[in-house]
Amino acid sequence: MMHRIRAFEESAARAATDGLVLGAIHLSIGQEAIASGICRALRPSDYLLSTHRGHGHTLAKGADAVAMMKELLGRDGGICKGKGGSMHIADVGVGMLGANGVVAANINIAAGAAHAIRLRRSDGIACTIFGDGAINRGPFLEGANWAAVFGLPALFVCESNGFASTTRTTAMTAGPGAAERIRALGIPADEVDGNDVVAVDETARAAVAAVRSGGGPRFILCHTYRLHGHTSTDPARYRSEDEVREAWKNDPIARCATQLREAGVDEEMLLGHRDAAAAEMAEAYETARAAPWPDRALAYSDIQDIGDPRERAY
Amino acid sequence: MTVMSYAAAGRQALAEEMRRDPLVWAVGEDLGRGGVFGQYQGLQEEFGAERISDAPISESAIMGACVGAAMAGTRPVVEMRFADFALCAIDELVNQAAKARYMLGGQIRVPMVIREPMGMWRSSAAQHSQSLESWYTHIPGLAVAVPSTPADNLGLLKTAIRSDDPVVYLEHKNSWGLEGEVPDADVLIPFGSARLHREGSDLTLVSWSAQVHVAAAAAETLAASGTSVEVIDLRTLWPWDRDAVLASVDKTGRLLVTHESVAVGGFGAEVCATVAEHSHGVLKGPVRRLAAPRIPISYAPPLEDQVRVTAEMIVSTVTDMLRG
Ligand SMILES: Cc1ncc(C[n+]2csc(CCOP(=O)(O)OP(=O)(O)O)c2C)c(N)n1
């Protein structure tokens, strides 16, 4: 899965360079272990709510890569019919209720999805992944408090990649950070090396089991690093090349490969996975760029059942 | 027919819908004790604390959680306490609830009702008195209801709860005690269908929410002096019943719109513009609006009164229009 996410992001970056991605895209290169580890612990019927940096989460939850790529390119057959683009990527069929263009907004929405699970007496959980920048917006407090007060089956995951756009998160965050803030609400919080897929997997499995068994909300703080710029076009000059070079040594995919090699998995198999993922996503890109634009009439559907959306000035 | 108050009609609508559909639930601050205006009185006793749920003072979470709960298969009724406080949750309403269905390409629906008691009531000053209905009409994805009578509150709220899309439901705080007849049968009032409040032939007077009663009082006064005013209550502003208004103006040739909210950028402008665009040939004079000046709402009665459009003002404007 980590290879597939990396390859998807690299194909998306290529599409952006080729001028075929229309809006901004936010790549999750370097953060693949979190998407993979967290989503592996979730069932397809569990809900996931993500962020503007959500391609990896969406793929890991089971969405179709070709339909996602078409969405990024705004083409017919896009997973959201070309109406959302990268920042609204979603696949409700696999429980992925959406990325979000508004930082932190999905924290409240996930708390509500968990509320619905409770009201419907289902055994699902709602999980939301957000960045470290999101913890300074109100919904972080409000949504977490909501989930705690009502004892809801919600899992909150913070992808702490060190940056919020072009600013270091630490520069704009008071106090000891996300985990302490959450613990102050009485919600159990784990901290994990987010570039260690095995550690994320183990932590996620334990947390999901606890949430699913009715233990109320939980929080996982995953430490990671955003290897690329904020958007695909951001050169990220606000940090040194040395810093980035150092961070690449902690690449979660390379680390996982080392672990697998040590466990006796042969090199051919490892490369095979990487190459298969690269081929899959290169093809997804080719398929997407060959697809036509969506029918203009689609602009007027999926708004609301009542009222005529064509209403405009004459 | 039964006579009941506007508040009781809202309560009955919710109770009936909750009995009919176990996925309907309501959440807001102090609902357990009946809500701040008593419009939820007795409901927690019947439906339990889970379905008539209290909430922390977290408007953004109340609204946002209900967006999530609606996406995940329930039908929440959100109580915002005062329309003014919904502004603490405007991202959740405007960026999330209104657009989720569209942004996700129709993969999801957001069936929620956002109840926002609005309007001037007992010297509540600038943060507890606003009528912001026109803002919401500007947002694709939202429906906007502005009931003026107990019967409409019953029938429109039931329709709102059964809607699969978000509905901003604006009850007027000064109308809670208003009594009126409501039908005994399960009557749903469709959105986009105006109510002819009073038939007339000389001028079309369009209004909504509590201002309908001010308009009706003016029409009554004018009738005494032989002027026949047709009063139309739009009941919903999105969608709005332009056919009813255009048909009435075809008949009368004159249009006055009055609302409690600020005139500038108000929905009256939309109604007037539509009529000006469509009915130019039949208009016997310019279309007019009577609404609030662009000042915050004050506390002291003489100051607060400056934003009120009174029946006397309507009478004199109508008289003026008919003379001209
Ligand atoms: C409410 C809001 N404010 C600002 C933005 C602009 N913005 C988009 S992403 C971003 C940085 C978010 O940082 P973080 O939450 O740490 O996530 P990351 O980008 O690191 O994954 C900002 C400021 C936004 N989308 N929404």
Side-chain angles (χ1 to χ4, degrees):
Chain A
M1 181 52 69
M2 288 201 288
H3 278 311
R4 289 185 70 228
I5 297 172
R6 174 74 51 94
F8 183 91
E9 299 290 49
E10 285 172 346
S11 280
R14 203 172 315 128
T17 310
D18 294 345
L20 294 176
V21 170
L22 308 156
I25 53 168
H26 306 81
L27 304 176
S28 64
I29 289 174
Q31 305 179 194
E32 297 89 344
I34 300 168
S36 305
I38 298 291
C39 292
R40 210 172 92 92
L42 301 175
R43 298 173 182 165
S45 54
D46 289 333
Y47 297 126
L48 177 69
L49 292 114
S50 165
T51 68
H52 55 284
R53 203 176 299 287
H55 305 159
H57 311 145
T58 309
L59 267 180
K61 193 71 171 66
D64 177 58
V66 175
M68 284 175 63
M69 194 64 82
K70 285 180 175 169
E71 188 64 30
L72 263 53
L73 271 60
R75 300 305 170 99
D76 183 50
I79 204 158
C80 300
K81 300 184 190 164
K83 298 183 184 191
S86 166
M87 276 190 275
H88 305 295
I89 206 106
D91 187 348
V92 174
V94 297
M96 195 326 190
L97 302 191
N100 208 304
V102 177
V103 168
N106 265 345
I107 302 176
N108 280 329
I109 296 177
H115 212 127
I117 289 168
R118 156 70 48 77
L119 288 164
R120 290 164 47 208
R121 305 277 179 259
S122 120
D123 68 346
I125 79 161
C127 172
T128 180
I129 307 179
F130 48 87
D132 40 342
I135 74 165
N136 291 326
R137 281 207 66 228
F140 177 66
L141 170 67
E142 294 199 16
N145 180 63
W146 186 280
V149 161
F150 291 106
L152 300 176
L155 176 64
F156 300 106
V157 178
C158 179
E159 248 175 352
S160 184
N161 62 14
F163 294 90
S165 192
T166 63
T167 304
R168 279 189 206 274
T169 319
T170 46
M172 289 290 131
T173 305
E180 287 310 305
R181 290 185 187 182
I182 280 282
R183 286 189 192 112
L185 303 176
I187 298 174
D190 295 313
E191 273 189 66
V192 64
D193 176 351
N195 284 23
D196 178 349
V197 73
V198 176
V200 176
D201 179 85
E202 283 170 357
T203 308
R205 258 188 296 158
V208 166
V211 170
R212 202 184 300 285
S213 65
R218 294 186 79 100
F219 175 73
I220 305 175
L221 175 58
C222 303
H223 295 286
T224 183
Y225 188 88
R226 198 192 70 207
L227 290 171
H228 273 244
H230 173 54
T231 60
S232 65
T233 53
D234 167 24
R237 296 228 174 77
Y238 38 85
R239 56 193 194 182
S240 73
E241 280 172 26
D242 279 354
E243 177 182 323
V244 178
R245 206 173 306 118
E246 262 322 287
W248 268 105
K249 292 185 188 155
N250 195 23
D251 173 13
I253 295 183
R255 278 178 64 182
C256 178
T258 306
Q259 285 168 307
L260 290 170
R261 249 180 244 116
E262 281 164 6
V265 175
D266 68 34
E267 197 64 28
E268 215 168 298
M269 187 165 169
L270 291 175
L271 294 176
H273 279 162
R274 186 197 63 190
D275 295 345
E280 178 198 353
M281 298 310 171
E283 195 183 324
Y285 175 35
E286 289 310 317
T287 309
R289 68 187 297 173
W293 294 114
D295 185 343
R296 284 166 204 274
L298 281 174
Y300 295 93
S301 61
D302 303 317
I303 300 163
Q304 57 192 141
D305 291 344
I306 50 174
D308 185 344
R310 287 165 306 181
E311 186 92 13
R312 63 166 88 199
Y314 296 87
Chain B
M1 289 281 182
T2 312
V3 171
M4 67 171 67
S5 71
Y6 184 84
R11 182 162 62 237
Q12 179 166 322
L14 179 59
E16 286 178 4
E17 291 306 302
M18 288 183 72
R19 279 177 213 129
R20 194 185 56 79
D21 182 351
L23 292 171
V24 176
W25 62 296
V27 61
E29 297 151 18
D30 302 305
L31 292 203
R33 279 152 305 286
V36 277
F37 301 105
Q39 73 276 45
Y40 295 85
Q41 207 70 55
L43 294 182
Q44 196 176 65
E45 286 76 0
E46 177 175 354
F47 297 104
E50 209 173 46
R51 290 182 68 202
I52 296 290
S53 180
D54 284 325
I57 305 167
S58 300
E59 285 71 20
S60 145
I62 297 172
M63 191 81 85
C66 285
V67 175
M71 290 166 89
T74 67
R75 307 182 81 86
V77 174
V78 177
E79 176 54 58
M80 276 287 130
R81 194 180 185 114
F82 281 73
D84 314 72
F85 305 153
L87 304 191
C88 301
I90 220 67
D91 167 62
E92 287 74 10
L93 178 56
V94 172
N95 285 327
Q96 313 296 338
K99 297 182 175 66
R101 177 180 175 189
Y102 192 81
M103 292 188 301
L104 271 58
Q107 293 185 66
I108 210 151
R109 304 297 295 266
V110 187
M112 65 191 280
V113 180
I114 304 96
R115 287 177 89 173
E116 299 187 13
M118 70 163 180
M120 281 188 279
W121 173 74
R122 288 197 200 164
S123 286
S124 299
Q127 296 174 337
H128 290 72
S129 301
Q130 295 170 91
S131 296
L132 300 175
E133 70 276 15
S134 72
W135 289 18
Y136 299 114
T137 64
H138 205 65
I139 310 298
L142 298 179
V144 183
V146 278
S148 69
T149 67
D152 287 350
N153 203 18
L154 177 64
L156 288 171
L157 186 53
K158 288 168 79 80
T159 304
I161 293 170
R162 292 191 205 182
S163 162
D164 287 331
D165 299 306
V167 175
V168 178
Y169 198 86
L170 301 150
E171 286 152 295
H172 199 288
K173 295 195 290 291
N174 209 36
S175 297
W176 291 125
L178 182 76
E179 302 261 332
E181 287 192 336
V182 304
D184 295 321
D186 188 30
V187 178
L188 274 78
I189 298 172
F191 278 34
S193 124
R195 185 172 54 80
L196 184 62
H197 193 84
R198 180 191 183 101
E199 221 176 306
S201 53
D202 295 332
L203 180 142
T204 301
L205 180 54
V206 173
S207 194
W208 53 86
S209 190
Q211 189 68 8
V212 166
H213 306 298
V214 181
E220 189 71 39
T221 306
L222 286 158
S225 59
T227 301
S228 166
V229 171
E230 180 143 298
V231 180
I232 293 179
D233 177 358
L234 287 182
R235 303 202 283 196
T236 61
L237 300 185
W238 185 264
W240 69 283
D241 194 348
R242 52 156 72 213
D243 292 345
V245 173
L246 294 174
S248 175
V249 172
D250 276 347
K251 182 174 72 174
T252 64
R254 289 189 177 87
L255 174 73
L256 173 63
V257 186
T258 178
H259 51 79
E260 181 179 313
S261 43
V262 171
V264 176
F267 200 72
E270 179 68 28
V271 177
C272 285
T274 302
V275 167
E277 284 166 334
H278 280 264
S279 311
H280 183 68
V282 304
L283 285 173
K284 297 174 187 157
V287 296
R288 296 277 299 267
R289 288 175 287 165
L290 268 180
R294 203 168 176 281
I295 54 176
I297 297 170
S298 284
Y299 174 74
L303 305 184
E304 189 192 51
D305 281 346
Q306 293 306 303
V307 300
R308 278 183 214 282
V309 174
T310 60
E312 293 71 42
M313 291 160 76
I314 297 174
V315 168
S316 84
T317 302
V318 169
T319 309
D320 191 45
M321 287 171 76
L322 287 169
R323 204 182 298 131

